[in-house]
Amino acid sequence: MQERSRRTQAALIRATTELVAEAGYHGATTKAIAERAGVSEGTIYRHFPDKKALFAAAVMAGQRDVTEWMEQLPGRAGSAPVVELLAETLTQLSRLREAVLPLEEASPHVMRPVEDLSREELVDALRSTGGPPLLLADFLAAEQRLGRLRSDLDPARTAVMLLAAFLGVQTSPLAGSKGLDEDDVQLFAELFCAGLVTGRDPAASS
Amino acid sequence: MQERSRRTQAALIRATTELVAEAGYHGATTKAIAERAGVSEGTIYRHFPDKKALFAAAVMAGQRDVTEWMEQLPGRAGSAPVVELLAETLTQLSRLREAVLPLEEASPHVMRPVEDLSREELVDALRSTGGPPLLLADFLAAEQRLGRLRSDLDPARTAVMLLAAFLGVQTSPLAGSKGLDEDDVQLFAELFCAGLVTGRDPAASS
Amino acid sequence: MQERSRRTQAALIRATTELVAEAGYHGATTKAIAERAGVSEGTIYRHFPDKKALFAAAVMAGQRDVTEWMEQLPGRAGSAPVVELLAETLTQLSRLREAVLPLEEASPHVMRPVEDLSREELVDALRSTGGPPLLLADFLAAEQRLGRLRSDLDPARTAVMLLAAFLGVQTSPLAGSKGLDEDDVQLFAELFCAGLVTGRDPAASS
Amino acid sequence: MQERSRRTQAALIRATTELVAEAGYHGATTKAIAERAGVSEGTIYRHFPDKKALFAAAVMAGQRDVTEWMEQLPGRAGSAPVVELLAETLTQLSRLREAVLPLEEASPHVMRPVEDLSREELVDALRSTGGPPLLLADFLAAEQRLGRLRSDLDPARTAVMLLAAFLGVQTSPLAGSKGLDEDDVQLFAELFCAGLVTGRDPAASS
DNA sequence: CATGAATGAGGTTTCATTCAT
DNA sequence: TATGAATGAAACCTCATTCAT
């Protein structure tokens, strides 16, 4: 039955995401994943060709959630001070991504040997059309057209840098293990955005 | 021989750092490390109680190099525009840390399950007296006293955020595998520092 | 439907035979067999109690084809020089058995641990009434009565030895992977039969 | 210590050979081999890169024993009736090879998927200089020069065929599981050799 | 001090077989 | 009856760690 199949698959992806968040990449063994998902280890391989594919699916699923939220962002350009919009976006991101982040961050240094080829594919997918970086770039470009953002910035490059910096803050061991609170996000948005806005942004005067 | 002992230890640390950078955390097995260091596997355990200790030592060693460079920073407060000083600092950091970063980044998500306790210890050590975050905080405080930096910022918190954001940019899969070039560093410094400086900083007018 | 049932069964047997020939014993997994036969894995167990039974059936089916051809052999005793008749027989065998041989050869060393008991049953079946060895023995006995074959040979024992030797040549890794050509069969027949015939066989003088 | 290493290696090879003979290819699991050899499973991989290499080493070791015995054969050409020499050779072979044979016979159809490339290498090695087939070919050529063997036969081809046929008889499921006794070997030698010898061989008249 | 063989727990993956639909 | 998802034992292999030499 396709219904049951879909449920199992979702359970596996959820178990993977949770376990990586909780116990790190090493804790996300096939055994632990199967246990958490309430299936046997063999079942994993009925739904994914190997562990690598399961991880990729988990990353993509998380990615999808984030993307869905961000799709509204470009349309909201100009509706509030830039800093405010960015702060809201980052707050949402920090909530949505909490679970997914370890997975993605783990990929470059950790998953490399497991994945070889597929690592590039995965990153490509993350960057490809419609992903958060592009959506953020769209938003920045829209604000540029409104004259509220420095016109000498490359939206794509800036978007990537902003996201990467934020993810860095969110995951850095320097930040402690507690994660970020509202204040942290607000401070980050303020600091970083001060370099982005022009005088025409109403919040720039503060 | 203490001399020989020290050389072996250094070789092990160097081998560990190189291997993590080259082959990722999974490539840094005790066997590979011993081979690269030109000793036998058993020898590792003459110098470190376990692999975890070797990794911690490797992180600390890298940390030491970075710290040595940063120790001059607080004394240079006021000697040039803040943005310029920070850009120079980040450029140095991006060079010095290239090798060590994978090690540190690997630690939170990768070493956690292996180490549990030690992770906290490690992070504590990274934040403890004399480390780059504190040195950067000292520099920021000095600039605050000179009136060139917003006085409402907590230097310690800001320093951590700045470093974490920069490390995030440096290691993010979003940035591609090529790493950062001079322009990227410059852009980052500009964007981020615009939120830090006051009108009294000579570069603030640009 | 008994008709449909028979077709499925035949498809399974054919798939098994083909797969063992193509991909070796390890390639003949239940999954691969079901795929090739165009049914689901579970269906196998509607038609055969287990994999072992499927293999036995496949061996028997191949055996049946060979047997059918050999049934004419005893009746042709005396109709041509012994060497010629044997060469023709072996040529036919080498063609008919090409597909089935791997199955049979695989059985003793491969299926033994899977089957234990059944291996004996299988071999018994192979030797039982009507099988090629007995038919060849009948032919040899007939030739003995015609005086064209050494009378001191035990027909049954000789038949088994002749067939076994030929199968050995046909499957030996020493012979390379290309199999036997006509010349090889001819040479084998000549060499081996020279020890069988008496002076009264017209070909014995060559 | 190299001494201990060699002993372990020998024990592993012996265990592998025995287990394949006793329990078939499927019975020769890494676990069973390690148990039989009195070491842990992990130890296997300190001495051989993988199971395939262990099997190859076991085949080669058996091959070496057989080869050692056969090296004297070419020198004995002419020292006794051809049939007698061959019978003796085959008797020795049937003893020496009893253990090794399953391994070799298993290779083409069974080990293929495990070995892929290496199967060809293995067979090449079996056929390469100095192996039993070549030694037997040397012997046949020597007998040809003595005029006791048909001069129209290709020694190499005949040697391969003779060995393959004999191995076939020795391992055929048709022959039952008891193996060959002296009488069987004698009969095989007589039958097969009758086609080889000329009138000048003293045994040809019997 | 150094070696390197040995360990054994644990990892990912396969596959014959069962069972709910 | 046919399906195909689920099972779980067992396969091969890795690796941090110990210990006799």
Side-chain angles (χ1 to χ4, degrees):
Chain A
M1 295 301 128
Q2 277 175 315
E3 176 53 24
R4 189 167 163 215
S5 204
R6 199 163 18 238
R7 264 209 309 276
T8 302
Q9 214 155 310
L12 283 170
I13 285 177
R14 157 181 285 267
T16 302
T17 308
E18 284 175 15
L19 274 169
V20 171
E22 287 171 25
Y25 180 79
H26 280 94
T29 64
T30 49
K31 186 181 171 190
I33 291 169
E35 229 158 57
R36 170 83 55 119
V39 300
S40 80
E41 249 183 300
T43 296
I44 293 174
Y45 296 88
R46 190 154 284 287
H47 296 275
F48 303 95
D50 50 20
K51 200 193 175 190
K52 166 181 100 187
L54 170 57
F55 268 65
V59 171
M60 295 318 243
Q63 194 67 9
R64 190 167 37 75
D65 291 345
V66 177
T67 301
E68 263 165 27
W69 191 90
M70 287 200 72
E71 261 157 7
Q72 51 156 340
L73 186 61
R76 294 178 59 197
S79 68
V82 175
V83 175
E84 226 166 80
L85 288 171
L86 280 178
E88 193 194 342
T89 301
L90 296 179
T91 303
Q92 282 299 328
L93 279 184
S94 76
R95 281 198 194 119
L96 283 169
R97 303 199 86 133
E98 219 150 73
V100 201
L101 255 178
L103 257 171
E104 294 176 33
E105 285 297 310
S107 68
H109 300 304
V110 178
M111 296 173 73
R112 193 188 310 168
V114 186
E115 315 218 14
D116 283 321
L117 298 189
S118 150
R119 194 243 148 162
E120 292 300 317
E121 296 160 18
L122 195 149
V123 168
D124 276 357
L126 290 183
R127 263 195 302 218
S128 69
T129 321
L134 273 204
L135 291 166
L136 182 56
D138 285 349
F139 167 73
L140 295 179
E143 292 285 7
Q144 273 183 329
R145 282 191 299 275
L146 295 175
R148 309 204 304 174
L149 214 66
R150 282 171 51 185
S151 59
D152 60 329
L153 296 175
D154 173 22
R157 206 167 147 222
T158 308
V160 164
M161 191 167 279
L162 176 54
L163 284 179
F166 185 66
L167 300 193
V169 171
Q170 209 175 344
T171 57
S172 169
L174 297 171
S177 51
K178 59 180 166 40
L180 298 177
D181 58 21
E182 290 272 315
D183 276 0
D184 292 320
V185 175
Q186 187 67 33
L187 174 60
F188 179 89
E190 264 176 44
L191 287 182
F192 206 97
C193 297
L196 300 177
V197 299
T198 68
R200 214 178 292 177
D201 182 55
S205 57
S206 75
Chain B
M1 300 291 137
Q2 275 177 316
E3 176 52 25
R4 188 165 157 214
S5 200
R6 197 163 20 238
R7 264 209 310 277
T8 302
Q9 217 155 310
L12 284 170
I13 286 177
R14 157 181 283 268
T16 303
T17 308
E18 283 176 14
L19 275 170
V20 171
E22 287 171 27
Y25 180 78
H26 280 95
T29 62
T30 48
K31 184 182 169 188
I33 291 169
E35 230 159 57
R36 170 81 57 119
V39 300
S40 80
E41 253 184 297
T43 297
I44 293 175
Y45 295 86
R46 295 243 145 242
H47 296 273
F48 302 94
D50 50 21
K51 199 194 176 190
K52 167 181 96 185
L54 170 58
F55 265 66
V59 172
M60 295 318 240
Q63 195 67 8
R64 189 168 37 75
D65 292 345
V66 177
T67 301
E68 263 165 27
W69 192 90
M70 287 197 73
E71 261 157 6
Q72 51 155 338
L73 185 61
R76 293 178 60 199
S79 68
V82 174
V83 175
E84 223 166 82
L85 288 172
L86 280 178
E88 192 193 345
T89 301
L90 296 179
T91 303
Q92 282 300 328
L93 278 184
S94 77
R95 283 200 192 118
L96 283 169
R97 302 199 85 130
E98 219 149 73
V100 202
L101 255 177
L103 257 171
E104 293 176 33
E105 284 299 309
S107 67
H109 301 305
V110 177
M111 297 173 73
R112 192 189 311 168
V114 187
E115 319 218 9
D116 281 320
L117 297 189
S118 152
R119 195 243 150 163
E120 290 302 317
E121 295 161 19
L122 193 151
V123 169
D124 275 357
L126 289 183
R127 263 193 303 217
S128 68
T129 320
L134 273 204
L135 290 166
L136 181 56
D138 285 351
F139 167 73
L140 294 178
E143 292 286 4
Q144 273 182 328
R145 282 191 297 274
L146 295 176
R148 309 204 304 175
L149 213 67
R150 283 171 51 187
S151 60
D152 59 329
L153 298 174
D154 172 20
R157 208 169 145 219
T158 309
V160 165
M161 190 166 281
L162 176 53
L163 285 179
F166 184 66
L167 300 193
V169 171
Q170 208 176 345
T171 57
S172 170
L174 296 171
S177 50
K178 58 178 166 41
L180 297 178
D181 57 22
E182 292 269 316
D183 277 0
D184 291 320
V185 175
Q186 187 67 32
L187 175 61
F188 179 89
E190 266 176 43
L191 287 180
F192 208 97
C193 297
L196 300 178
V197 297
T198 66
R200 210 178 295 177
D201 182 54
S205 55
S206 74
Chain C
M1 300 292 137
Q2 276 178 315
E3 176 53 24
R4 186 165 157 215
S5 200
R6 197 163 19 241
R7 263 211 308 277
T8 303
Q9 216 155 312
L12 283 171
I13 285 176
R14 156 182 284 267
T16 303
T17 308
E18 283 175 14
L19 275 170
V20 172
E22 286 170 27
Y25 179 79
H26 280 95
T29 63
T30 48
K31 183 182 171 189
I33 291 169
E35 230 159 57
R36 169 83 56 119
V39 299
S40 79
E41 252 185 296
T43 298
I44 292 175
Y45 296 85
R46 295 245 145 242
H47 296 274
F48 302 95
D50 51 20
K51 201 192 174 190
K52 166 180 98 186
L54 171 56
F55 265 66
V59 172
M60 296 317 243
Q63 195 68 7
R64 188 168 38 73
D65 292 345
V66 176
T67 301
E68 264 165 26
W69 192 90
M70 286 199 72
E71 261 157 7
Q72 51 157 337
L73 186 60
R76 293 177 61 197
S79 69
V82 174
V83 175
E84 225 166 81
L85 289 171
L86 280 179
E88 193 194 343
T89 301
L90 295 180
T91 303
Q92 282 300 327
L93 278 185
S94 77
R95 280 195 196 123
L96 284 170
R97 303 199 86 131
E98 219 149 74
V100 202
L101 256 178
L103 256 171
E104 293 177 33
E105 284 298 309
S107 66
H109 300 304
V110 177
M111 298 173 72
R112 192 191 309 168
V114 185
E115 319 218 11
D116 280 321
L117 297 189
S118 150
R119 195 244 150 161
E120 291 301 317
E121 295 161 17
L122 193 150
V123 168
D124 277 356
L126 289 183
R127 265 197 298 219
S128 69
T129 321
L134 273 205
L135 291 166
L136 182 56
D138 285 352
F139 167 73
L140 293 179
E143 292 286 6
Q144 273 183 330
R145 282 191 299 275
L146 295 176
R148 307 205 302 174
L149 213 67
R150 281 170 53 186
S151 58
D152 59 330
L153 297 174
D154 173 21
R157 210 168 144 220
T158 308
V160 164
M161 191 167 280
L162 176 53
L163 285 178
F166 185 66
L167 300 192
V169 170
Q170 209 176 343
T171 57
S172 170
L174 296 172
S177 51
K178 58 180 167 36
L180 297 179
D181 59 21
E182 290 272 315
D183 277 1
D184 291 321
V185 176
Q186 188 67 32
L187 176 60
F188 179 88
E190 266 176 44
L191 286 181
F192 207 96
C193 297
L196 300 179
V197 298
T198 65
R200 213 178 290 177
D201 182 54
S205 56
S206 75
Chain D
M1 296 303 129
Q2 278 174 314
E3 176 52 26
R4 190 167 163 213
S5 204
R6 198 160 22 234
R7 265 208 309 277
T8 304
Q9 214 155 312
L12 284 170
I13 286 178
R14 158 181 283 268
T16 303
T17 308
E18 285 175 14
L19 275 169
V20 172
E22 286 170 27
Y25 179 80
H26 279 93
T29 63
T30 49
K31 185 182 171 190
I33 290 169
E35 230 158 56
R36 169 81 56 119
V39 299
S40 80
E41 246 183 303
T43 295
I44 292 174
Y45 297 89
R46 189 155 284 287
H47 295 275
F48 303 94
D50 50 21
K51 201 193 175 191
K52 165 181 100 187
L54 170 58
F55 268 64
V59 171
M60 294 318 241
Q63 195 67 6
R64 191 167 37 74
D65 292 345
V66 177
T67 301
E68 263 165 25
W69 192 90
M70 287 200 71
E71 261 157 8
Q72 50 154 341
L73 185 60
R76 292 178 60 198
S79 69
V82 175
V83 176
E84 222 165 81
L85 289 171
L86 281 178
E88 193 194 343
T89 301
L90 296 179
T91 303
Q92 284 299 329
L93 279 184
S94 75
R95 283 200 192 118
L96 283 170
R97 302 199 86 136
E98 219 148 75
V100 201
L101 254 178
L103 260 171
E104 294 176 34
E105 284 298 309
S107 68
H109 300 305
V110 177
M111 296 173 73
R112 193 188 311 167
V114 185
E115 316 220 11
D116 284 319
L117 300 189
S118 150
R119 194 244 150 164
E120 292 300 318
E121 294 161 18
L122 194 151
V123 168
D124 276 357
L126 291 182
R127 261 195 303 216
S128 68
T129 321
L134 274 204
L135 290 167
L136 181 56
D138 285 350
F139 168 73
L140 294 179
E143 293 285 6
Q144 272 182 330
R145 281 192 298 274
L146 295 175
R148 308 204 303 175
L149 214 67
R150 282 172 51 186
S151 59
D152 60 329
L153 297 175
D154 173 22
R157 208 169 147 219
T158 309
V160 165
M161 190 166 280
L162 175 54
L163 285 178
F166 185 66
L167 301 192
V169 170
Q170 209 176 343
T171 58
S172 171
L174 296 171
S177 51
K178 59 178 166 39
L180 298 179
D181 57 22
E182 291 270 317
D183 277 1
D184 292 319
V185 175
Q186 187 66 34
L187 174 61
F188 178 88
E190 267 176 41
L191 286 181
F192 206 96
C193 297
L196 301 178
V197 299
T198 65
R200 212 178 294 175
D201 182 56
S205 55
S206 76

